[in-house]
Amino acid sequence: MTQPLLRVQDLTTRLATPRGMLQLVNNISFEVARGETLALVGESGSGKSLTALSVMGLLPAHARHPLTSKIMLDDINLLTLSEAQRQQIRGKKIGMIFQEPMTSLNPVLTIGDQIGEVLYRHQGLRGQALKKRVIALLEAVHIPLAAQRANDYPHQLSGGMKQRVMIAMAIACEPDLLIADEPTTALDVTIQAEILKLLTELQRQSGMGLLLITHDLAVVAQVADTVAVMTQGKLVEQNTTAAFFAGPTHPYSQKLLAALPAFARESTSLVSKYPDLKAEKSPAADADKPLLDVRNLQVYFPIKTGFLRRAKSHLKAVDDVSLHIEAGKTLALVGESGSGKTTLGRSISQLIPATSGEVYFNGAAIHRLKSKALREYRRDIQFIFQDPFSAMNPRMMIQDLLEEGMLALHIEPEQRKRRARLYALLEYISLPRNSLSRYPHEFSGGERQRLCIARALAVNPKLIICDEPTSALDVTIQAQILDLLKDLQNELNLTYLFITHNLSIVPALAHEVAVMHLGKIVEQGATQQIFEQPQAAYTKSLLAAAPKLV
Amino acid sequence: MTFKFVLLWTDLLVFILVALLLAFSIWAKRQDSWRRPLRKVFRRKISVVSAVILSTYVLIGLLDSVHYQPALPQENATDQIHYDVEVKSVLDKLLSPLDEQFETSYSAPFAHQLHVQDAVKQADGSIVYQHQRLQYAATHLSNPEAEKRHDILVRSLKGVAWGLLILLLVTILLVLYLSHQKKQNVLATSKQLVAGKMDYPYLTMLLTLGIVILLASVSACLATHYHIFGTDKVGEDVFYQALKSIRTGLVIGTVSTLVMLPFAIILGVMAGYFRGRIDDGIQYLYTTLSSIPGVLLIAAAILMLQVFMSTHPDLFASNAQRADLRLLILCVILGVTSWTSLCRLLRGESFKLREMDYVQAANNLGVSHVTILKKHIVPNVMHIVLITLVLDFSGLVLAEAVLSYVGVGVDPTMFSWGNMINSARLEMAREPVVWWSLCAAFIFMFTLVLFANFFADSVRDAFDPRLQDA
């Protein structure tokens, strides 16, 4: 075997904090060969991004490495280089792609200028040669009409396009090593598939080494040759991809793999896995009145232009949507970002006024109600938000947060009973009683999401609208939250409207699925039917793009 | 001695403010979200230095805010007690007899004779121009030219000795308090203190306090026998004037913000949260207000007040009350013209907050708008309010100086740095130049504004969420 391109040896990273040294990465070693892809897998806080930053030399100033740590690129030890020397290597020999394409591009420069800057710095290109090379790069990452697009500003591009531009910048100087830090996490599933395809294609053409950092095992299965699993700063398992998925040896790897939703794990029949799905189409359910009945709902946002800012046209966020959910069932609303699914959820709970259409809840027309009368229904429809960090007021204690709705809606006005109820709620979400006198920042993301669920439950709702409740969470925690939601549904006979972009979690949870695209519902039906015989072309492309471990 | 308490309007506001500040610090100590940044503020040396110096100013201002009218001496014991029309403060009492010793005209710092020459008729009828001896300064010296230097040195050393004694006492008290709090012996605490191994920079605090105490005790020992900053045109001690101006500066700086706060917070938060018509209305209001030059509004208000006061002289029991009302109106008008920038900031911030998920969740839980504003929006914009308050304070102190210079500031009879600077206009044109009034006003105001700015910087660094990780 030839010499590896990148060899990380006994890498330890410590941060100097006021309370002493904090060891974040602990003695890890791995190698990346030319033309090979190594996936560094781990949950947030496992030290995987820090490792990537060490390789790039972009660590914060108070980070330290012991002398035994080595990062060899070919035969240069990167850790011994000066900042000026590292700058020569960054961009030229190592390219990097970041997670957030929205914030990684400078909004006031055209994308052509930004790619050109890299070329000018490292290769000294200018004038026509520079322009040609920029266009060639944009074409290489499959941006249509590259010559015109080069003059666009970042805000004129979609998320996927921006990530392509980032990739173009990273490969501009034909680096030997490309580091991709969660390159597809912020992107929709169909776009994610395209970006991954692009990355593997580029790698094959140029024979670079690719260090892929991700938390998504399904992505790993598609792209990587070797997998390295990190947890709490340590490398616990390293193996070829095939061997890893066939039988992970370390308990943490097994846990990671087990936490993957069933859909991603196997692409064959769902019915065998979930026999109860089959019995879903009970005729009795049809006779029941649905708990939520949405008819021809439209939500338009005016696009104001011109001097007097009159509404010239409308953005049809939700366009003529009808759906219904029966009591005790879960409807999954699936769609990519911008499809209007969040707007639909908020419009159902009357947080956003509908332009037209009807919403019936338990037979009552709540779209006609004004604020006073609407308050009666507030307790019945509750929300769980995507980001548990912004969903709780950081300056309120958990007790105040959980009590807020009870006080506002006069549930359990007596203090002693209210306290008992708070304890009961904490028991549901399995958090200790002393959580009540703590602040949100003392809890982890998963615990916060549990608290958000408890807050929603506090007012005895019938319907809970879950807006991407797990997409901000790590995969093992995601599984816990989904289990909790399922348990609560069985116990309290809750009804869920589950809004998500992640197809893989749908089968485990939802009885019915509605697929939304550009404000319209393109397909709706029982989960099994949608997953096994999708009718609409869009549903088919969604299913095809979802990453699987095959 | 009998006396009658006088509560001026601004006194009342000053006391309310101090009470609010105390209440807030007790409350903030219990709130985790406030305690941490505040602790961060007081861990920085520069902010501890600033805090000590600002507290000295506040202490002087507070002493100057307790007013009373002393009883006039009675001829017989049975007579009804009459009170002096002149309102005195506790500070006057402490500084006495500085407030009553008037020379006839200008005299330089530490001078024993007047700055100007007077015509003196000699016994033989000829007129000689010469510097007169001062009536109250250096009177104990028979040959001032020869003895003064030595006398000043001796008195300064006496002051230093006193100062060191007080400092020692303070240090002992602090060490005792700290060892009591930490439940360890005194020796260990002192060692930690000297090594600087405490949670807070107590050593820095002691050093600053030492400088303040030394300055105070030295000037106390000197001021009884000399005019350490000279005297002004009517022979009044400039050091006394500068000390009395502290209260005016502090009142302007704090009461104006007190007036401004409700406007800024209520309107700003409402505009950002409700949007739509309410937002439009509030925006129109503050754009209009901020497009009128502030000086114009202030001048108009003060001139109107002057007319009112001269037509209703019977409403005011004393000159102090007149001057006080003018100060109060000045604060109000400064507050009314300066709320717009904070309002704009708060509007933007609440605009962002209203889209936060927790506000949406509260909405969905049926919580009323007022409660949402009270519980979710206002507490989350308070750091901006605090930052703006401390930053604005020094600006307002400076604004007073500028306005008094223009002639629309505080009452001319009131002590203020602005009035001192205003009168210095003519003094600077004299030959030989009279520089000490301007210099004293400058030193006192500069110290206050400088340390207020240092403190404001630390507060901003500690509370600004964007700087949190740095």
Side-chain angles (χ1 to χ4, degrees):
Chain A
M1 209 175 129
T2 52
Q3 196 195 2
L5 171 68
L6 175 80
R7 209 173 54 189
V8 173
Q9 227 168 43
D10 301 327
L11 179 70
T12 299
T13 308
R14 299 195 184 107
L15 280 189
T17 64
R19 293 204 191 103
M21 294 302 254
L22 200 64
Q23 186 142 332
L24 294 177
V25 175
N26 194 353
N27 226 6
I28 65 168
S29 307
F30 59 84
E31 289 174 357
V32 184
R34 273 172 220 280
E36 191 203 57
T37 303
L38 174 81
L40 206 52
V41 184
E43 303 196 336
S44 49
S46 60
K48 56 191 190 323
S49 286
L50 218 56
T51 306
L53 290 177
S54 297
V55 176
M56 279 301 271
L58 292 175
L59 281 179
H62 55 287
R64 306 270 181 282
H65 299 292
L67 286 171
T68 49
S69 296
K70 271 186 197 157
I71 299 178
M72 306 293 291
L73 186 73
D74 288 329
D75 27 75
I76 315 163
N77 185 358
L78 294 180
L79 291 179
T80 56
L81 295 185
S82 71
E83 181 54 32
Q85 288 168 315
R86 299 210 76 158
Q87 211 142 33
Q88 284 305 309
I89 288 180
R90 267 203 295 272
K92 202 169 181 179
K93 291 196 139 176
I94 311 177
M96 185 152 182
I97 309 167
F98 296 93
Q99 174 172 1
E100 211 30 275
M102 317 293 163
T103 53
S104 304
L105 288 169
N106 185 342
V108 296
L109 290 177
T110 63
I111 55 167
D113 286 345
Q114 295 187 50
I115 299 173
E117 197 191 335
V118 185
L119 292 169
Y120 174 74
R121 265 191 74 88
H122 291 292
Q123 301 190 335
L125 288 180
R126 55 191 74 200
Q128 278 303 316
L130 181 72
K131 216 171 194 178
K132 254 191 207 150
R133 178 85 180 110
V134 167
I135 293 167
L137 277 168
L138 287 176
E139 275 165 356
V141 293
H142 304 303
I143 287 185
L145 300 172
Q148 291 156 42
R149 281 294 187 179
N151 296 322
D152 279 357
Y153 288 91
H155 71 93
Q156 290 168 295
L157 305 177
S158 69
M161 293 272 243
K162 277 186 213 167
Q163 197 60 297
R164 281 164 195 269
V165 173
M166 288 303 298
I167 294 174
M169 277 171 81
I171 62 166
C173 299
E174 291 157 353
D176 299 328
L177 177 70
L178 186 64
I179 301 176
D181 187 358
E182 306 264 9
T184 57
T185 310
L187 301 175
D188 281 329
V189 53
T190 46
I191 298 162
Q192 172 177 334
E194 289 168 22
I195 295 284
L196 289 175
K197 213 174 94 198
L198 174 67
L199 275 177
T200 37
E201 179 193 317
L202 288 171
Q203 187 193 18
R204 213 172 305 130
Q205 279 171 10
S206 63
M208 13 174 220
L210 178 63
L211 176 59
L212 178 74
I213 290 161
T214 183
H215 68 277
D216 193 343
L217 279 178
V219 169
V220 175
Q222 279 186 340
V223 194
D225 303 311
T226 330
V227 185
V229 181
M230 273 186 88
T231 178
Q232 293 170 354
K234 285 188 191 123
L235 204 61
V236 292
E237 184 169 359
Q238 197 169 358
N239 213 336
T240 61
T241 307
F244 175 80
F245 284 105
T249 50
H250 193 272
Y252 179 75
S253 317
Q254 289 163 354
K255 193 174 137 205
L256 259 187
L257 214 55
L260 270 187
F263 171 74
R265 240 178 290 155
E266 46 204 280
S267 53
T268 49
S269 173
L270 285 165
V271 191
S272 53
K273 183 86 190 161
Y274 295 103
D276 53 326
L277 282 179
K278 222 173 188 173
E280 249 4 288
K281 279 197 170 168
S282 59
D286 288 349
D288 273 348
K289 251 195 185 167
L291 182 71
L292 179 76
D293 190 3
V294 178
R295 290 181 201 160
N296 308 94
L297 192 72
Q298 294 180 326
V299 184
Y300 289 179
F301 295 116
I303 300 169
K304 290 177 179 172
T305 47
F307 176 60
L308 290 171
R309 301 192 57 75
R310 259 180 301 205
K312 291 263 172 63
S313 56
H314 293 273
L315 176 76
K316 298 176 178 177
V318 175
D319 194 9
D320 201 16
V321 165
S322 303
L323 47 85
H324 64 269
I325 316 174
E326 281 145 31
K329 295 283 152 56
T330 301
L331 173 71
L333 191 60
V334 182
E336 303 193 334
S337 56
S339 62
K341 47 192 201 309
T342 296
T343 310
L344 176 59
R346 295 198 176 188
S347 170
I348 287 172
S349 67
Q350 308 295 308
L351 283 176
I352 297 175
T355 312
S356 72
E358 293 154 354
V359 180
Y360 293 95
F361 183 79
N362 233 351
I366 58 171
H367 58 278
R368 290 207 201 100
L369 296 177
K370 288 278 162 266
S371 58
K372 272 262 170 60
L374 192 61
R375 195 166 285 183
E376 291 295 302
Y377 289 91
R378 283 277 182 233
R379 59 151 57 170
D380 290 335
I381 307 179
Q382 279 307 313
F383 245 102
I384 297 170
F385 295 92
Q386 170 172 7
D387 183 3
F389 290 88
S390 71
M392 280 189 280
N393 187 344
R395 296 186 190 275
M396 279 168 84
M397 276 194 295
I398 301 304
Q399 167 157 12
D400 299 325
L401 285 165
L402 294 183
E403 263 183 350
E404 188 175 35
M406 287 196 255
L407 290 173
L409 297 171
H410 308 292
I411 298 166
E412 307 281 12
E414 204 182 314
Q415 200 189 338
R416 203 169 43 81
K417 277 191 184 167
R418 202 164 57 225
R419 193 141 190 111
R421 187 166 166 74
L422 287 180
Y423 287 147
L425 284 171
L426 287 177
E427 213 148 287
Y428 277 136
I429 59 169
S430 11
L431 281 181
R433 284 186 174 194
N434 63 17
S435 308
L436 285 184
S437 53
R438 290 159 72 188
Y439 284 90
H441 69 84
E442 298 171 51
F443 295 89
S444 70
E447 287 173 323
R448 282 181 185 221
Q449 197 59 290
R450 285 161 187 272
L451 286 166
C452 288
I453 294 173
R455 175 174 64 185
L457 288 178
V459 293
N460 278 328
K462 294 192 177 76
L463 172 71
I464 296 184
I465 300 174
C466 311
D467 190 355
E468 308 256 15
T470 58
S471 55
L473 302 174
D474 279 330
V475 51
T476 48
I477 294 161
Q478 166 176 320
Q480 290 168 11
I481 294 285
L482 292 179
D483 283 343
L484 174 68
L485 284 173
K486 252 192 294 186
D487 291 347
L488 288 170
Q489 180 167 47
N490 292 335
E491 206 162 321
L492 305 170
N493 196 29
L494 293 170
T495 310
Y496 294 135
L497 175 60
F498 197 92
I499 298 172
T500 183
H501 72 278
N502 189 351
L503 269 177
S504 61
I505 59 175
V506 168
L509 194 78
H511 304 90
E512 288 197 33
V513 180
V515 181
M516 206 164 168
H517 184 51
L518 296 177
K520 285 191 164 68
I521 292 206
V522 292
E523 192 166 4
Q524 192 172 2
T527 307
Q528 179 201 354
Q529 179 197 334
I530 298 269
F531 272 71
E532 293 192 342
Q533 293 137 8
Q535 300 300 311
Y538 180 71
T539 317
K540 282 178 195 162
S541 72
L542 258 189
L543 282 169
K548 284 173 213 149
L549 314 175
V550 189
Chain B
M1 194 180 124
T2 49
F3 53 84
K4 186 168 81 176
F5 268 113
V6 180
L7 193 64
L8 299 174
W9 276 108
T10 48
D11 292 344
L12 186 69
L13 288 172
V14 165
F15 289 128
I16 290 179
L17 255 172
V18 171
L20 281 180
L21 192 70
L22 281 179
F24 170 75
S25 46
I26 290 170
W27 175 82
K29 231 180 156 178
R30 298 215 187 111
Q31 303 287 316
D32 197 43
S33 49
W34 285 94
R35 197 173 56 215
R36 268 178 304 145
L38 280 177
R39 203 183 284 160
K40 212 157 130 196
V41 170
F42 287 105
R43 287 231 167 104
R44 283 182 66 172
K45 285 183 179 162
I46 183 71
S47 47
V48 170
V49 173
S50 314
V52 169
I53 294 191
L54 290 181
S55 323
T56 315
Y57 272 87
V58 170
L59 184 71
I60 295 173
L62 279 180
L63 286 176
D64 204 11
S65 295
V66 185
H67 285 101
Y68 65 95
Q69 285 175 316
L72 289 173
Q74 292 158 275
E75 275 158 29
N76 326 308
T78 52
D79 277 356
Q80 205 196 339
I81 301 171
H82 288 282
Y83 294 99
D84 199 340
V85 284
E86 213 174 326
V87 178
K88 294 277 176 193
S89 74
V90 175
L91 184 72
D92 293 330
K93 185 80 188 159
L94 288 175
L95 292 177
S96 72
L98 283 184
D99 55 332
E100 278 158 355
Q101 296 176 340
F102 284 75
E103 306 292 346
T104 49
S105 178
Y106 292 117
S107 69
F110 294 108
H112 60 280
Q113 54 193 12
L114 285 175
H115 185 60
V116 286
Q117 293 178 328
D118 274 335
V120 180
K121 209 173 189 178
Q122 302 294 82
D124 58 359
S126 63
I127 290 175
V128 179
Y129 286 90
Q130 64 176 45
H131 294 284
Q132 295 270 42
R133 277 294 291 268
L134 293 177
Q135 284 163 295
Y136 299 101
T139 45
H140 58 296
L141 304 175
S142 49
N143 182 8
E145 248 114 64
E147 299 165 24
K148 200 163 70 179
R149 191 176 289 257
H150 180 252
D151 187 55
I152 291 175
L153 190 69
V154 169
R155 282 179 194 282
S156 309
L157 285 178
K158 205 175 112 191
V160 171
W162 271 108
L164 288 177
L165 198 69
I166 300 172
L167 184 62
L168 189 69
L169 207 71
V170 172
T171 315
I172 291 171
L173 284 177
L174 181 75
V175 169
L176 284 180
Y177 168 74
L178 286 177
S179 34
H180 174 71
Q181 201 185 32
K182 298 190 139 200
K183 295 187 176 59
Q184 59 184 19
N185 71 39
V186 176
L187 203 65
T189 318
S190 335
K191 267 187 193 158
Q192 279 183 353
L193 187 70
V194 175
K197 279 183 184 155
M198 305 291 261
D199 308 346
Y200 298 99
Y202 286 112
L203 198 64
T204 316
M205 187 185 89
L206 271 180
L207 286 177
T208 323
L209 208 58
I211 292 170
V212 171
I213 290 174
L214 281 179
L215 279 178
S217 64
V218 168
S219 22
C221 286
L222 288 171
T224 47
H225 292 84
Y226 296 97
H227 299 297
I228 51 178
F229 275 111
T231 55
D232 74 345
K233 192 177 182 182
V234 292
E236 194 164 29
D237 192 274
V238 171
F239 179 55
Y240 171 70
Q241 289 181 349
L243 283 177
K244 289 285 281 182
S245 303
I246 288 177
R247 174 177 183 271
T248 315
L250 288 179
V251 166
I252 295 263
T254 51
V255 176
S256 304
T257 52
L258 192 71
V259 173
M260 156 189 115
L261 271 192
F263 285 103
I265 295 183
I266 296 174
L267 293 179
V269 160
M270 271 172 56
Y273 179 72
F274 288 112
R275 316 251 17 236
R277 293 262 156 104
I278 296 178
D279 186 24
D280 288 348
I282 293 170
Q283 272 197 72
Y284 269 113
L285 188 66
Y286 72 58
T287 349
T288 314
L289 200 61
S290 55
S291 52
I292 303 172
V295 178
L296 210 66
L297 280 180
I298 294 164
I302 292 294
L303 293 177
M304 263 154 57
L305 182 78
Q306 262 177 351
V307 172
F308 173 80
M309 288 201 292
S310 54
T311 48
H312 300 84
D314 46 316
L315 286 178
F316 306 100
S318 62
N319 268 342
Q321 276 172 351
R322 271 177 69 120
D324 182 69
L325 185 71
R326 181 155 162 172
L327 176 64
L328 181 66
I329 297 292
L330 186 68
C331 289
V332 171
I333 191 79
L334 271 175
V336 168
T337 49
S338 63
W339 57 270
T340 49
S341 62
L342 178 58
C343 185
R344 208 172 271 162
L345 279 177
L346 293 185
R347 172 178 171 269
E349 189 68 16
S350 358
F351 190 65
K352 196 181 85 192
L353 287 177
R354 83 189 281 269
E355 298 299 330
M356 292 296 278
D357 287 342
Y358 57 81
V359 175
Q360 299 282 334
N363 246 323
N364 205 45
L365 285 165
V367 181
S368 69
H369 291 311
V370 179
T371 318
I372 290 183
L373 285 178
K374 214 166 60 188
K375 272 190 170 170
H376 293 288
I377 309 276
V378 173
N380 281 300
V381 298
M382 278 320 270
H383 63 283
I384 297 182
V385 173
L386 189 75
I387 292 166
T388 318
L389 280 194
V390 270
L391 282 176
D392 276 4
F393 171 79
S394 42
L396 286 164
V397 175
L398 294 175
E400 187 273 331
V402 172
L403 290 174
S404 299
Y405 183 79
V406 176
V408 291
V410 296
D411 195 89
T413 64
M414 183 164 240
F415 297 108
S416 87
W417 294 315
N419 277 339
M420 287 168 78
I421 292 168
N422 188 21
S423 59
R425 228 183 341 181
L426 296 173
E427 292 166 3
M428 297 303 281
R430 291 176 72 100
E431 182 60 44
V433 67
V434 175
W435 47 269
W436 45 86
S437 251
L438 182 71
C439 199
F442 175 76
I443 290 172
F444 275 76
M445 189 162 73
F446 175 75
T447 315
L448 175 64
V449 171
L450 180 72
F451 286 102
N453 277 338
F454 279 144
F455 194 66
D457 269 350
S458 312
V459 169
R460 193 195 47 210
D461 289 353
F463 280 91
D464 196 331
R466 276 167 298 180
L467 295 173
Q468 212 92 100
D469 304 320

